[in-house]
Amino acid sequence: QEGLRQRQEQQEQMVRAVYDLASEQLKRFDELKELKQHQEFQDLQEVMEKSSKEAQGQQEKLKEEHRHRAKVLNLKLREAEQQRQRQEELERLRKEEGQERLRRLYSIQEEVLQLNQQIDPNYRHKDLPRIDLSAYSNRGNQICGLVSGLIRTTSERGFPTQVDVANTERALQEMRGLISSMQQEIAAAVEEKRRRDEEEERQKQKELLKKEQMKAQTPAPAQQSGGKQRKEGLQVKAEESTMQWYQQLQDAAEQCVASFSGISNCKDNNEVKKIKTDLQKAATIPVSQISRIAGSQLREIFDKINNLLSGKSVQSGGRTVSVTQHPQGLDFVYYKLAEKFVNQGEEEVASHHDAAFPIAVVASGIWEIHPRVGDLFLAHLHKKCPYSVPFYPALKEGTSMEEYQRMLGYQVKDSKMEEQDHFLKRMSGMIRLYAAIIQLRWPYGNKQGTHPHGLNYGWRWLAQMLNMEPLADVTATLLFDFLEVCGNALMKQYQVQFWKMMLLIREDYFPRIEAITSSGQMGSLMRFKQFLEECLQQKEIPLPKGALQSSFWRS
């Protein structure tokens, strides 16, 4: 038992020794494993730090490249902006120079027209029946036409060049020389006539006493003779220069019609026929839509018409339309647009007088940008209403009565002439539209330029009307319509001269109208008389009803 107990203790000691040894080995193994893990973690951390440093370096490199590129791009943008500013400055200077040259052209044209008007009254000098100044008048009209043609060409092209200004200045110098030569010729003829008159005066001294006695004995015939002379002082026909202007406009309209014959005669070509219909609608529908609703709507209509005439595409009836669709498209649209403006005067303005102003302001603006529309408008207006020239067509041999009635402006259907009231209503509408156009300008246009057909034409029309024998019913109606619409503007422009004209109408011209007016035609005459009396009494021509106020354009 003792031996067994000892062996058992030895065995336990051995087991403890083995256990202790195994525990120590296990500790060493755990320490080795922990060391290995620590080394691996340190290696991984070093790798990560290294890659982080590399990524940071790469990022710094990219940032530097980005900063360099941004710097280069900013330099390029700055250079481009400077280049754009330089181009804008050059363009602005070019426009300013162009506008200055254009203003110079307009001032030259105005001076040429004023000088030409000096020729017209002396076309057949009343004191010198033998002197004929037709050559001066013809040359003056040619110079006016030349200057107008230059301005029209430069307006279509953009801005005039220095060569254009030089050409118009040469034309102005020639016109001045023409006036100077005419005045010298008249002065020489007057001096010659004065010498002859002095000689005749000496010869007639003996007969003078007998003539005075005969006049004293027969006062009544003398008065009749004086009245006859006074009446003979007025013209029956328009001045020749006016008729030349009228004929030039009619010729231009006929040439325009001939220029788009390919569109007009397109019965067999469906494609051209379709283009014709689209263009006609695009030109006429916007004019029909002009109203007094709002200024913004009027501006949209103006832009649509202007874009069409400028060759841009516009929407009409759900279709895209442009004058470039046909080589003759622009001429066709010019003609139809001008015709539509006149038709609106004949129909819309005749029925609603205040419609004249929105239609007129759009027509005036289009006329200023596209002068050819204005010339065609005048041609249409003169053909439908010859009194807007003013021109009283004469019955020529071989002309049928029906054709003559049409020449006078009457509508004839089935050999039946329209009623006088309807005729006067149409003429009134067209004159009112014309009177509104000459005083209105498109508010968003070039305010530095002159009106393409301004108040000076209205003054000329009024003066020529008063130089012609009145027509029953027609003259009183048209003078009243014209002065009611345009009188306020003429009063502000011509002031004292205008009131002299008004006194002349009341004292001299109104009795002439009264003398030829029958009892059934007194309505228009009395309306005109009342208007004259009120204006002269108040020394004021009231603003026309329906005139567009500044607040209208903010609507």
Side-chain angles (χ1 to χ4, degrees):
Q1 289 179 346
E2 183 65 29
L4 182 64
R5 184 185 60 79
Q6 286 176 352
R7 276 197 306 272
Q8 190 175 358
E9 286 179 354
Q10 286 175 355
Q11 286 292 329
E12 289 175 354
Q13 287 175 354
M14 283 176 65
V15 168
R16 278 195 297 271
V18 171
Y19 175 76
D20 289 340
L21 180 63
S23 296
E24 287 298 324
Q25 284 180 347
L26 185 62
K27 285 180 182 177
R28 300 289 85 75
F29 178 77
D30 288 341
E31 287 172 357
L32 186 65
K33 186 178 178 181
E34 187 179 349
L35 178 65
K36 202 171 184 178
Q37 284 177 346
H38 183 70
Q39 285 175 345
E40 285 177 355
F41 176 75
Q42 197 169 1
D43 290 343
L44 181 63
Q45 194 172 9
E46 285 176 359
V47 169
M48 286 177 67
E49 284 178 359
K50 186 178 178 182
S51 62
S52 175
K53 285 179 182 177
E54 287 178 356
Q56 195 172 359
Q58 188 70 22
Q59 191 175 8
E60 287 296 326
K61 189 176 178 182
L62 287 172
K63 281 183 181 178
E64 185 61 32
E65 285 181 4
H66 178 70
R67 278 195 294 271
H68 178 68
R69 287 177 183 171
K71 192 175 180 181
V72 171
L73 187 61
N74 284 334
L75 284 171
K76 287 182 179 179
L77 285 172
R78 197 177 296 114
E79 286 176 2
E81 180 63 20
Q82 290 173 352
Q83 181 69 18
R84 186 186 65 79
Q85 288 176 352
R86 283 196 296 272
Q87 287 178 349
E88 282 184 354
E89 183 65 19
L90 288 171
E91 183 66 18
R92 187 182 63 78
L93 290 172
R94 188 185 71 80
K95 281 185 178 179
E96 284 181 359
E97 289 174 359
Q99 287 173 348
E100 185 60 38
R101 286 196 287 267
L102 192 60
R103 282 195 293 274
R104 176 63 182 151
L105 287 187
Y106 283 138
S107 65
I108 290 173
Q109 185 186 29
E110 186 176 3
E111 188 175 348
V112 166
L113 288 170
Q114 288 173 351
L115 290 171
N116 191 48
Q117 287 176 356
Q118 294 179 22
I119 300 176
D120 290 344
N122 300 316
Y123 183 67
R124 288 276 184 183
H125 201 285
K126 58 183 179 180
D127 296 328
L128 304 170
R130 294 181 186 176
I131 190 169
D132 186 3
L133 303 177
S134 58
Y136 293 104
S137 181
N138 291 337
R139 184 55 191 158
N141 288 328
Q142 288 173 2
I143 293 172
C144 289
L146 175 66
V147 172
S148 299
L150 275 170
I151 291 176
R152 193 179 301 114
T153 304
T154 54
S155 298
E156 291 171 355
R157 194 174 62 222
F159 289 112
T161 61
Q162 198 60 42
V163 176
D164 297 325
V165 176
N167 289 335
T168 51
E169 284 178 343
R170 278 198 295 273
L172 176 60
Q173 292 298 329
E174 185 180 353
M175 179 63 88
R176 287 172 177 164
L178 195 69
I179 295 292
S180 177
S181 301
M182 182 194 75
Q183 290 171 344
Q184 289 173 4
E185 185 174 340
I186 290 174
V190 168
E191 181 63 26
E192 179 64 28
K193 185 175 183 299
R194 187 183 62 79
R195 285 198 297 269
R196 285 200 306 270
D197 288 346
E198 286 176 357
E199 291 175 5
E200 289 175 2
E201 188 67 27
R202 284 193 294 271
Q203 294 173 2
K204 291 178 180 178
Q205 284 294 330
K206 295 178 182 179
E207 300 176 4
L208 187 59
L209 186 59
K210 292 180 181 179
K211 286 184 178 180
E212 286 178 355
Q213 290 172 352
M214 289 171 66
K215 285 180 183 178
Q217 291 170 2
T218 56
Q223 288 173 3
Q224 290 172 2
S225 174
K228 187 178 177 183
Q229 286 175 1
R230 189 171 73 106
K231 200 164 186 178
E232 286 175 353
L234 295 183
Q235 305 168 358
V236 178
K237 295 195 297 183
E239 294 180 8
E240 190 162 337
S241 60
T242 303
M243 291 311 300
Q244 287 175 353
W245 174 59
Y246 165 81
Q247 195 57 50
Q248 285 170 3
L249 291 171
Q250 296 304 318
D251 291 345
E254 289 175 6
Q255 288 171 9
C256 183
V257 172
S259 69
F260 61 77
S261 57
I263 291 183
S264 300
N265 307 320
C266 60
K267 295 178 182 178
D268 301 330
N269 192 328
N270 290 330
E271 187 178 348
V272 176
K273 193 185 293 185
K274 197 173 182 182
I275 292 172
K276 173 186 175 182
T277 305
D278 289 345
L279 287 174
Q280 186 160 346
K281 286 180 180 178
T284 57
I285 290 175
V287 180
S288 302
Q289 293 170 341
I290 295 173
S291 68
R292 303 176 57 83
I293 294 173
S296 56
Q297 186 208 33
L298 215 57
R299 194 169 183 181
E300 286 176 11
I301 292 170
F302 177 89
D303 290 341
K304 193 170 185 180
I305 297 171
N306 184 37
N307 288 340
L308 179 66
L309 296 177
S310 302
K312 298 177 183 176
S313 296
V314 298
Q315 291 295 319
S316 176
R319 297 167 62 84
T320 302
V321 184
S322 171
V323 294
T324 56
Q325 290 174 309
H326 195 281
Q328 301 171 359
L330 185 59
D331 287 333
F332 178 73
V333 170
Y334 276 149
Y335 188 86
K336 289 298 177 183
L337 179 64
E339 183 181 48
K340 182 62 179 176
F341 275 127
V342 176
N343 288 346
Q344 286 296 95
E346 183 183 18
E347 297 164 7
E348 183 66 19
V349 180
S351 301
H352 307 96
H353 289 171
D354 58 355
F357 297 96
I359 297 171
V361 77
V362 173
S364 174
I366 294 296
W367 191 335
E368 195 164 345
I369 302 172
H370 308 279
R372 197 163 173 207
V373 175
D375 291 343
L376 291 169
F377 169 82
L378 287 174
H380 282 295
L381 180 69
H382 292 168
K383 194 165 186 178
K384 287 199 166 188
C385 176
Y387 315 102
S388 62
V389 180
F391 163 48
Y392 303 159
L395 179 59
K396 296 179 181 178
E397 190 176 347
T399 305
S400 66
M401 184 52 67
E402 191 174 319
E403 184 60 31
Y404 179 59
Q405 286 166 347
R406 286 197 178 94
M407 287 168 63
L408 290 172
Y410 288 93
Q411 289 180 344
V412 182
K413 292 181 181 177
D414 300 326
S415 301
K416 188 178 179 181
M417 189 177 73
E418 69 178 320
E419 294 180 359
Q420 184 73 1
D421 288 347
H422 188 259
F423 163 74
L424 289 174
K425 186 179 178 182
R426 289 191 307 105
M427 297 300 113
S428 170
M430 287 184 276
I431 286 293
R432 281 178 176 272
L433 177 60
Y434 179 66
I437 285 176
I438 61 176
Q439 63 178 305
L440 289 176
R441 297 191 68 184
W442 182 245
Y444 305 105
N446 178 15
K447 294 180 181 177
Q448 294 178 337
T450 57
H451 194 300
H453 194 83
L455 283 171
N456 55 321
Y457 284 91
W459 184 254
R460 187 180 76 170
W461 180 86
L462 187 58
Q464 291 187 353
M465 277 291 283
L466 300 180
N467 274 331
M468 297 177 74
E469 287 289 352
L471 296 178
D473 229 4
V474 175
T475 301
T477 300
L478 298 187
L479 282 176
F480 169 73
D481 289 322
F482 184 81
L483 288 172
E484 190 178 48
V485 175
C486 195
N488 182 270
L490 287 173
M491 175 191 71
K492 291 175 181 175
Q493 177 81 11
Y494 293 98
Q495 298 177 358
V496 176
Q497 292 298 319
F498 175 78
W499 290 112
K500 286 181 180 178
M501 185 82 84
M502 291 290 281
L503 284 170
L504 174 72
I505 294 172
R506 186 182 70 176
E507 302 298 331
D508 183 61
Y509 201 70
F510 188 82
R512 292 175 184 270
I513 304 174
E514 205 169 16
I516 62 165
T517 304
S518 65
S519 57
Q521 301 168 332
M522 293 300 287
S524 57
L525 185 71
M526 296 315 295
R527 189 167 63 249
F528 183 40
K529 183 178 182 180
Q530 185 181 355
F531 175 78
L532 278 176
E533 294 294 344
E534 287 177 0
C535 293
L536 287 166
Q537 188 177 357
Q538 297 170 6
K539 279 288 179 184
E540 181 73 25
I541 305 286
L543 271 172
K545 293 176 183 176
L548 301 179
Q549 305 299 328
S550 57
S551 58
F552 171 77
W553 298 105
R554 296 193 291 271
S555 61

